[in-house]
Amino acid sequence: MKPASLMRWFPNSPENELHAHSADAVVQSFCAALKSWRSRRNSDPTAKPPKRRRRYFKVIWKSSAIRVRGGKLVLSNGKTNPPVVISWAWETPVQVEIGWDGKQYELRACYDLSKRQAERKEEETPKAGEVAGVDLGEVHLAVAHDGKETFIANGRLLRSQRRYQNKLKGKLSRLMARKKRGSRWWKRLVRSKQRQLARLAKQMADILHKQTTRLVSTLQARGVQTVVIGDIRDIRRSAQYNKVANQKIH
């Protein structure tokens, strides 16, 4: 089996005491040991695969489970489990290991030196201080112009998700209207509606996050330091068009 298949097969420990990515790191370590044995077997036919069950095995936390808050290193163990909190006076590492060195447990922190070098270069390079204007729209999420080039954040995928969300609301509301309020089937439809709409809301938030991140990264690469956006928060109050147009503007 491939590592990806094993990680889906063993998403966590039986007691559910690890962060999801920490459980993935255990599978990745096992697959790395197998890969090392296969490469060594070419030169050493007597080499044996890893078969001994370690009594003390390292626990790995990846960047998604690592936080530094108020001089404390917080290592997440999942939603329902308390985190590991350690006094910390350094920057946030990209990976942390806690393992047995033969006498005691020790903590090993890994840092990405390439990111530090890139940050130093950014600090050393003078900032251009360019200004870009952004126009928010209904068809396109945003259109940015820095005086030389125009960048468009396409909103087709978000419009599709929003349209499906409105159709789903109407469909489930019609089904609920046929049931007696408070009945077993009505409650089942309410739970289904909440679950499906929550999933769509997360998908749309993810689309917006990725589009805005890409737009900001593009402008930053062009040397833009100031972004000017028009305030359109009250535009829907003055929208007096037909039902379809009002829904799109909203």
Side-chain angles (χ1 to χ4, degrees), residues 8 14 37 43 48 50 75 85 107 113 122 131 136 142 202 213 230:
R8 287 194 296 267
W37 164 67
S43 58
K48 297 181 179 180
L75 305 176
V85 181
L107 185 144
L113 297 180
E122 290 181 359
V131 180
L136 305 179
K202 291 180 180 179
T213 300

Side-chain angles (χ1 to χ4, degrees), residues 9-208:
W9 193 269
F10 301 103
N12 211 322
S13 61
E15 294 80 11
N16 199 31
E17 294 178 346
L18 293 176
H19 190 275
H21 291 171
S22 298
D24 292 343
V26 176
V27 176
Q28 292 168 358
S29 299
F30 173 74
C31 294
L34 283 178
K35 184 178 180 181
S36 175
W37 164 67
R38 292 191 181 102
S39 61
R40 182 179 177 183
R41 186 175 53 176
N42 296 329
S43 58
D44 185 7
T46 60
K48 297 181 179 180
K51 61 178 181 179
R52 181 183 302 175
R53 183 173 181 176
R54 294 181 179 271
R55 186 175 180 182
Y56 301 98
F57 190 76
K58 61 184 179 182
V59 181
I60 301 175
W61 286 269
K62 297 187 178 181
S63 58
S64 58
I66 302 173
R67 298 289 184 274
V68 174
R69 298 172 181 171
K72 301 290 185 180
L73 178 66
V74 182
L75 305 176
S76 175
N77 291 318
K79 292 183 179 179
T80 59
N81 302 314
V84 177
V85 181
I86 303 171
S87 299
W88 199 254
W90 301 275
E91 299 177 3
T92 305
V94 296
Q95 182 172 306
V96 172
E97 296 180 5
I98 295 181
W100 185 258
D101 65 350
K103 297 181 180 179
Q104 60 183 357
Y105 285 101
E106 66 176 5
L107 185 144
R108 313 174 191 109
C110 302
Y111 290 88
D112 189 354
L113 297 180
S114 61
K115 290 184 179 180
R116 286 189 175 184
Q117 294 175 356
E119 291 175 355
R120 289 175 181 175
K121 288 182 180 179
E122 290 181 359
E123 293 176 356
E124 293 174 357
T125 54
K127 297 182 179 179
E130 298 292 336
V131 180
V134 176
D135 179 29
L136 305 179
E138 183 266 322
V139 176
H140 299 298
L141 295 179
V143 178
H145 184 67
D146 62 352
K148 299 178 182 179
E149 296 186 25
T150 301
F151 310 97
I152 299 176
N154 193 293
R156 171 175 291 185
L157 181 58
L158 183 64
R159 294 178 70 203
S160 174
Q161 291 291 88
R162 182 72 69 183
R163 183 170 181 267
Y164 176 67
Q165 182 192 48
N166 292 328
K167 292 177 65 177
L168 183 63
K169 286 181 180 179
K171 178 183 176 181
L172 294 176
S173 296
R174 288 192 298 270
L175 291 175
M176 291 171 59
R178 299 175 187 174
K179 307 299 179 183
K180 183 179 180 180
R181 185 178 183 86
S183 63
R184 180 168 57 89
W185 277 103
W186 184 86
K187 292 180 180 179
R188 182 177 294 181
L189 287 172
V190 170
R191 290 194 298 269
S192 176
K193 183 178 180 180
Q194 292 174 347
R195 183 174 61 254
Q196 295 184 65
L197 292 181
R199 183 176 67 250
L200 284 173
K202 291 180 180 179
Q203 291 175 356
M204 289 187 290
D206 181 67
I207 294 170
L208 283 171

